[in-house]
Amino acid sequence: MGRKLLLDKAHIENIRLYDVYRREGGYRSVEKALKTMTPDAVTEEVKKSGLRGRGGAGFPTGMKWSFLAKPEGVPRYLVVNADESEPGTFKDRYLMEFIPHLLIEGMITSSFALGASRSYIYIRGEYAWIVDILEQAIQEAKNNGFLGKNILGTGYDLEIYVQRGAGAYICGEETALLESLEGKRGNPRIKPPFPAVKGLWGCPTVVNNVETIAAVVPIINEGGDEYAKIGVGKSTGTKLISACGNIKQQGVYEIDMTISVEEFIYSDEYCGGIANGRQLKACIPGGSSVPILPANLLLKTAKGEPRMMNYESLADGGFATGSMMGSGGFIVLDDTQCVVKHTYTLARFYRHESCGQCSPCREGTGWMEKILLKIDSGKGSMSDIDLLWDIQRKIEGNTICPLGDAAAWPVAAAIRHFRDEFEWHINNPEDCLRKNYGLAGYADELKIPVLDA
Amino acid sequence: MADEVKQEAPVNFKVTIDNITIEVAPGTTVLNAARQIGGDVTPPAMCYYSKLEGSGGKCRTCLVEIAAGSEKDPRPMPKLMASCRTTVMDGMVVKNITSERVQDARAGVVEFLLLNHPLDCPICDQAGECHLQDLGYDHGKEGTRYEFKRRTFEKEDIGPFIQLHMTRCILCYRCTYVADQLTDKRVHGILDRGDHAEISTYISKAIDNDFSGNMIDVCPVGALTDKTFRFKNRVWFTKPVDAHRDCDKCCGKVTLWNRGDEVLRVTARKDTWGEVQSYDNKPGWICNTCRFDKKKTSDWVIEGVTNINRHSVIAQNKYNGLVVPKETITDVMGGRDPKLLMDIHDVSDVNDPSIDLSLIEGPATSKTFEKKEE
C-alpha cells in the first residue's frame, strides 16, 4: 500500500466543505508558511522536495519558481492551469471536485512564496460545475480569514479568481492560457520571453498544474526533505494517475512511484487487471500525446528490466523503446482494440484542436488525419505509411508550441511499434473493416518490435 | 533615459550566418542580421513584417539552425528557431543554407503551405508579385503528395475595395496586425481554429476604414487583392512608376501601375524584401483615398520608373524560359487516347500551342491567335 499525500482524506464525507477540511488538519501549511517562514524559505522547501511539474513536462517546480523575475513595483501572478483537456487525463477534476480546499491551500502557500497578491485558476470550460465548487471554497476560505486582506494578521493579501475557458485544448498550453485569460484569442505566444519574465499582462507569472500546487501542501507540512524521501531518484513524492480504458477498475489512483507498471495494471489495489478476461495489447502511459507502447515494451524496458511507474523508468529507452510519464493519463488497450483506428481518433482530436497559427501543425495535423482515415477504411497503400512518417517528422520540433509535437508523437509511436498492424490494414482492405488484427505478437516476451521507418 | 542609453558606447554583437560574420546592434533578430548581409543567406519570411509589431514566428519558413548560442554559452540550440523572432547573441553561429536540417524543414513547411493552396495563379491578381510563388519556385517540389480535396471556404464580401479569397490565405496574420496598428477600428480577425481558421469580418461587415487598404500590400499571397484592379491586367504587363501627391493623411508616396496612360492600380512603394518602404524611419503606408480614389495621372506628380529587380517577372514583362513539360498527352492522360478529347485550341482559337507566349511582345491579345488565311 503506497503512501498517500493528496487523496488520503478524499474519502471523508463533506471534505469539500471548509469546516470538515479544517478539522482534518487543513490550512496548516498556510499557517506554517505565513507565520514562520519567509517566501524564499518556502521556495527552498519546494526545491528540496524535488517536486516536478505534474502537468506533463515534468519540469522541476522549485527551479521554475526561482526563474521568476522579481522587478520592483511590478505585480507577479500565480496562475493555476486547470484546463485539463488531454484525452485520458482526469486527475485534476477529481482533486478539484472532492477536495477543492487542498488546491486553495496550496495556492495561498505558493502565492506567498512567489509574492503574488492575485492568483487565477484557469479552468476548462467543460468543468462548469467545478467552478461553483471552487468559488464556494474560495468564499469559505475568505470568510475564515485565509484569503483577502491581511491574511492571518500577517499583512499578506491574496485574492483568487476562477476563470472559465471556452473549451479549447490549446488553452492548456501556458502562453495560450495567458492569452485567453487576458481575454484574447488563445494562440500560444512565441517564446522567449517566457512567462517567468513576461506573462500575464506582461508581468512575471508562474503557471502550474493543479496537482503541482496541491502537492505544495504536504511539502510545507512535512518539509521538503521528508517529501523527497518518498519515491525513487528524481521522481519524488506521489503522483495521481487517472487510469482508463479496458481495465477492471478505472479511476484516479495516487501512487508513490515505486511500483511497477505490471503491478499497477494487475493488482487489485489499482486497475485490477484487464477487463472481460482479455489481454493487454498496448498502453499510453501518460495522456494521449505521449508515445503508445506495446505490452511487451510497457512491462519491461528494452534492457529487460521491469518498467516502473516513474518519470525515469517510463522514459527509459527514449522514444525508440520508451514513453513518458506525461500528465498521468493511463490509457489501456486490450486485444480487441485497433491501433490504427485509435491513432486516427487521436489525429482527429489534434486536427480539431490545433490553433492554426503555425503552418506545420495547421496543415500537417489535417493531412495525417486524412491519411489515417484512408488506411483505417481499407483504402491505404504502403507508401502512405512512409508518408505519415515523413509528415510527423516535419511537424515535430518545428512548431511554436508543443501541440505539434503532441500530434506527431502518437502517430510516430504507432508506426514505430505497430507497423505490422498498419500493413495488415493495407494488405487486407476488406478484412480490416470486419475483423481485428488482435494481439498479434505485441505481448510476446522476446520480440521487441522496434522499427526504423 | 533614451539619451543615457545612447551615451554608453553601443557594443555590437558579432554573429556568423552561413560562415559570414557581421556585426549588428544588440536586439537585432537573426533574420534582420541576415538581411543586412543580403543575398542567399537571408531566410524567406512569409509572416514576418518588420513594420508590423508582433508579427512573425508563425509561418516557420525562416527556421534556422543555431549551431552555437553565444560566445559565453556556445551550446547549440536543440530545435530549429524562427529567425524572425530570435535575437542575436554575441558570438552566435547560425546555419541557414549550409544546414541540411534547415533545408529539409523548410521544404516541409513549403509543402504544408501549398497543401491547401488552390494554385489558381493563372487567374490570381497576385501572380507575378506573390511571395508564395517565389517561395514555391525556390524551395517547392514539382508535384504534391496530397491526394485529398483541398480546403474551401464560403465566399465572403468584405466591401467594395478589398477582395478576399480565403482559399489562398496562408494565415500569416499580417492583415490583422495592420488592422490593429494602422486603422482606427478593427473589424476583422481570425475566426475558428486549426485548418478551418479563416480571416473574416464581424458578421460580414465591410472593411472600409482608412488605411485598411494596406492589408492588400502586406498580404504575401492573393488572399487580399485590390478590388478596383481585379482582373484588369497581369502585373507584368503594367508599367510601375513612382509618383507622389500632397496628402494630408499619409505620406503620399506611391507606385502607380500604369497601362498606357491609364492608372490601373496604386500601391505603396516596396523595398527589397517586399515590404512597404520607410521614409525618415516611418513606414510609408498610404491611405485609402490615395490608393482607391486617385486613379488619374493628373492626380499625381510622376517621379520616374520604379526600380524593379531585373529577375522579377514584372521587370521582364513576361515569364520567360518556360519549362515545356516533357510528358506527352498520352502520359498525362494515363495512357488514354487523346483523340477522345476535344482539342480546345481548335475550338476556341486561343492559346495555340504552337505560339510561344514568352516570345511575343507585350501581352497576348486575340490578334496573336488570329488564324492565318490559308
Side-chain angles (χ1 to χ4, degrees):
Chain A
M1 178 91 185
R3 197 155 162 222
K4 287 186 182 166
L5 295 173
L6 303 176
L7 301 182
D8 54 340
K9 302 202 176 76
H11 61 281
I12 297 168
E13 199 179 353
N14 283 336
I15 191 82
R16 85 167 55 150
L17 301 177
Y18 173 82
D19 293 336
V20 180
Y21 183 74
R22 180 81 174 136
R23 196 175 65 223
E24 293 294 328
Y27 288 101
R28 271 188 301 138
S29 76
V30 176
E31 286 173 326
K32 184 175 174 187
L34 266 62
K35 287 186 176 163
T36 67
M37 295 169 85
T38 62
D40 288 343
V42 177
T43 308
E44 199 50 42
E45 285 303 315
V46 175
K47 261 191 194 165
K48 271 195 259 173
S49 75
L51 174 67
R52 293 170 68 169
R54 302 292 196 230
F59 191 80
T61 307
M63 207 193 283
K64 192 174 190 173
W65 287 10
S66 61
F67 287 156
L68 185 71
K70 291 179 175 164
E72 277 297 308
V74 179
R76 302 188 281 271
Y77 297 104
L78 170 71
V79 177
V80 172
N81 186 346
D83 191 80
E84 184 180 50
S85 330
E86 180 104 336
T89 310
F90 45 91
K91 62 187 176 69
D92 297 342
R93 172 176 122 183
Y94 188 88
L95 206 91
M96 292 187 289
E97 200 173 346
F98 292 99
I99 27 177
H101 281 287
L102 188 67
L103 173 62
I104 307 296
E105 182 180 352
M107 281 181 77
I108 301 169
T109 314
S110 308
S111 301
F112 173 71
L114 299 168
S117 58
R118 253 190 290 167
S119 287
Y120 295 87
I121 304 172
Y122 185 90
I123 188 164
R124 141 172 223 212
E126 288 89 333
Y127 285 175
W129 76 99
I130 300 179
V131 178
D132 298 338
I133 296 172
L134 287 172
E135 280 185 337
Q136 190 194 348
I138 290 169
Q139 193 56 46
E140 284 176 342
K142 213 175 210 175
N143 294 344
N144 290 282
F146 281 101
L147 278 176
K149 292 253 174 251
N150 197 12
I151 297 168
L152 301 177
T154 57
Y156 176 64
D157 307 333
L158 177 68
E159 291 290 344
I160 295 179
Y161 301 95
V162 185
Q163 173 65 42
R164 262 180 80 179
Y169 173 68
I170 190 65
C171 291
E173 199 277 340
E174 58 177 4
T175 53
L177 185 153
L178 295 176
E179 286 279 298
S180 175
L181 196 53
E182 288 178 13
K184 300 178 195 152
R185 183 184 160 82
N187 276 358
R189 293 176 187 167
I190 291 140
K191 287 171 275 188
F194 288 93
V197 180
K198 262 188 169 180
L200 191 60
W201 293 298
C203 302
T205 306
V206 165
V207 184
N208 272 140
N209 179 260
V210 171
E211 191 192 338
T212 315
I213 293 296
V216 172
V217 175
I219 289 171
I220 297 306
N221 280 338
E222 304 191 9
D225 289 328
E226 278 301 307
Y227 187 88
K229 281 180 195 162
I230 308 166
V232 57
K234 283 183 180 168
S235 304
T236 60
T238 61
K239 173 91 185 80
L240 297 185
I241 302 287
S242 54
C244 62
N246 307 113
I247 43 173
K248 280 190 188 142
Q249 304 161 22
Q250 291 97 343
V252 178
Y253 298 99
E254 185 168 5
I255 59 159
D256 64 4
M257 303 211 239
T258 55
I259 61 166
S260 68
V261 176
E262 191 164 5
E263 186 189 344
F264 183 72
I265 295 178
Y266 291 104
S267 84
D268 287 335
E269 191 190 333
Y270 300 106
C271 302
I274 309 298
N276 307 322
R278 313 292 322 187
Q279 279 178 292
L280 174 70
K281 178 179 184 180
C283 173
I284 304 175
S288 66
S289 341
V290 311
I292 187 171
L293 286 179
N296 46 12
L297 276 177
L298 177 75
L299 302 176
K300 286 219 170 93
T301 64
K303 294 174 210 149
E305 296 159 0
R307 206 181 277 281
M308 311 298 284
M309 289 289 282
N310 61 47
Y311 288 97
E312 283 75 29
S313 186
L314 281 172
D316 189 277
F319 278 5
T321 59
S323 184
M324 271 170 83
M325 183 85 181
S327 59
F330 199 82
I331 309 170
V332 179
L333 279 68
D334 71 16
D335 56 345
T336 60
Q337 302 299 325
C338 170
V339 171
V340 177
K341 188 168 219 84
H342 173 81
T343 312
Y344 160 67
T345 314
L346 291 182
R348 191 179 59 180
F349 171 79
Y350 287 110
R351 195 221 81 195
H352 186 253
E353 296 295 344
S354 166
C355 79
Q357 197 182 193
C358 60
S359 347
C361 177
R362 176 183 67 233
E363 307 291 349
T365 50
W367 195 5
M368 289 199 300
E369 184 209 347
K370 290 193 179 95
I371 296 173
L372 281 162
L373 177 64
K374 193 180 141 196
I375 297 176
D376 184 46
S377 45
K379 291 170 192 151
S381 58
M382 283 297 177
S383 62
D384 284 336
I385 303 177
D386 297 327
L387 181 57
L388 265 180
W389 185 266
D390 195 46
I391 299 170
Q392 69 81 19
R393 194 175 59 85
K394 281 176 170 152
I395 299 174
E396 193 206 337
N398 292 340
T399 54
I400 294 175
C401 81
L403 194 139
D405 302 343
W409 290 342
V411 176
I415 298 176
R416 193 183 293 125
H417 300 304
F418 297 89
R419 199 178 172 118
D420 350 0
E421 187 158 352
F422 280 83
E423 288 175 357
W424 179 79
H425 269 254
I426 289 158
N427 291 329
N428 303 281
E430 279 165 23
D431 281 356
C432 78
L433 299 178
R434 291 181 283 110
K435 281 201 294 197
N436 193 290
Y437 189 58
L439 185 63
Y442 298 130
D444 290 0
E445 186 73 32
L446 294 169
K447 195 191 163 210
I448 297 168
V450 187
L451 294 170
D452 288 321
Chain B
M1 183 71 193
D3 290 338
E4 279 172 27
V5 174
K6 264 183 192 166
Q7 274 164 14
E8 288 174 30
V11 185
N12 279 348
F13 282 174
K14 260 191 192 149
V15 55
T16 308
I17 305 171
D18 286 339
N19 303 322
I20 303 170
T21 306
I22 187 176
E23 282 195 21
V24 294
T28 312
T29 59
V30 174
L31 180 70
N32 280 332
R35 282 184 177 183
Q36 285 178 28
I37 299 173
D40 289 341
V41 302
T42 315
M46 299 298 287
C47 66
Y48 173 75
Y49 205 86
S50 63
K51 279 95 187 171
L52 295 171
E53 204 186 316
S55 66
K58 296 177 181 10
C59 70
R60 317 308 280 180
T61 53
C62 71
L63 289 175
V64 290
E65 185 181 334
I66 311 283
S70 67
E71 203 165 337
K72 280 182 200 151
D73 182 7
R75 286 177 301 170
M77 295 191 187
K79 284 184 176 182
L80 300 181
M81 302 296 286
S83 60
C84 62
R85 292 292 291 260
T86 309
T87 47
V88 296
M89 302 296 282
D90 200 18
M92 187 184 262
V93 179
V94 181
K95 282 179 166 183
N96 176 25
I97 50 173
T98 48
S99 162
E100 269 181 37
R101 239 176 104 201
V102 170
Q103 297 306 306
D104 185 44
R106 191 167 292 154
V109 172
V110 174
E111 185 175 23
F112 286 134
L113 284 175
L114 290 170
L115 212 58
N116 277 302
H117 193 78
L119 294 179
D120 55 349
C121 310
I123 54 146
C124 176
D125 280 324
Q126 188 86 0
E129 50 179 19
C130 174
H131 292 229
L132 190 58
Q133 265 185 334
D134 297 346
L135 188 74
Y137 277 115
D138 286 346
H139 303 279
K141 296 198 184 78
E142 284 169 4
T144 177
R145 296 184 288 174
Y146 191 67
E147 47 181 345
F148 306 97
K149 237 179 120 177
R150 283 165 200 249
R151 171 181 66 215
T152 53
F153 294 89
E154 233 170 79
K155 282 201 183 89
E156 193 186 7
D157 186 3
I158 57 167
F161 297 123
I162 304 171
Q163 180 68 37
L164 172 66
H165 281 283
M166 195 49 222
T167 47
R168 296 172 187 160
C169 180
I170 59 162
L171 284 169
C172 69
Y173 282 62
R174 279 181 186 173
C175 59
T176 62
Y177 290 110
V178 165
D180 264 345
Q181 292 166 28
L182 293 180
T183 64
D184 45 358
K185 217 176 199 178
R186 184 172 127 184
V187 291
H188 86 284
I190 315 278
L191 295 189
D192 287 333
R193 63 176 181 231
D195 58 0
H196 41 287
E198 59 175 314
I199 305 281
S200 186
T201 53
Y202 180 61
I203 319 180
S204 294
K205 209 173 158 163
I207 297 179
D208 60 354
N209 31 12
D210 227 351
F211 285 90
S212 61
N214 290 298
M215 283 161 56
I216 300 165
D217 280 346
V218 301
C219 184
V221 294
L224 295 165
T225 49
D226 190 334
K227 222 176 205 175
T228 60
F229 177 64
R230 198 167 186 227
F231 300 147
K232 285 269 175 70
N233 219 307
R234 310 302 330 212
V235 287
W236 55 88
F237 294 144
T238 58
K239 189 179 168 191
V241 291
D242 284 348
H244 68 265
R245 64 181 278 268
D246 284 330
C247 178
D248 49 0
K249 283 188 281 192
C250 67
C251 65
K253 293 189 168 84
V254 300
T255 300
L256 304 179
W257 300 79
N258 292 342
R259 186 73 195 276
D261 292 334
E262 200 185 348
V263 179
L264 292 182
R265 183 173 71 144
V266 183
T267 68
R269 290 183 204 169
K270 305 282 180 72
D271 65 12
T272 336
W273 311 110
E275 294 183 5
V276 165
Q277 265 183 28
S278 287
Y279 306 99
D280 305 328
N281 280 328
K282 270 204 227 148
W285 307 113
I286 60 169
C287 66
N288 282 9
T289 319
C290 287
R291 185 186 299 270
F292 298 120
D293 299 340
K294 304 293 174 191
K295 291 284 180 82
K296 276 190 288 213
T297 322
S298 56
D299 292 329
W300 299 94
V301 182
I302 308 290
E303 292 172 17
V305 178
T306 306
N307 192 14
I308 296 238
N309 185 324
R310 66 189 178 84
H311 296 296
S312 159
V313 292
I314 301 170
Q316 291 169 342
N317 252 11
K318 64 192 176 227
Y319 278 101
N320 71 344
L322 283 175
V323 182
V324 181
K326 288 183 205 98
E327 312 99 27
T328 61
I329 292 177
T330 328
D331 284 341
V332 177
M333 294 305 299
R336 276 180 287 160
D337 189 352
K339 275 179 191 163
L340 292 173
L341 300 167
M342 185 169 63
D343 188 345
I344 188 89
H345 305 300
D346 259 6
V347 180
S348 68
D349 288 346
V350 294
N351 287 350
D352 184 338
S354 64
I355 296 168
D356 187 342
L357 290 180
S358 68
L359 295 181
I360 54 169
E361 277 297 316
T365 61
S366 52
K367 278 184 187 161
T368 316
F369 299 103
E370 250 174 295
K371 264 200 180 152
K372 290 182 187 84
E373 297 293 324
E374 282 162 32

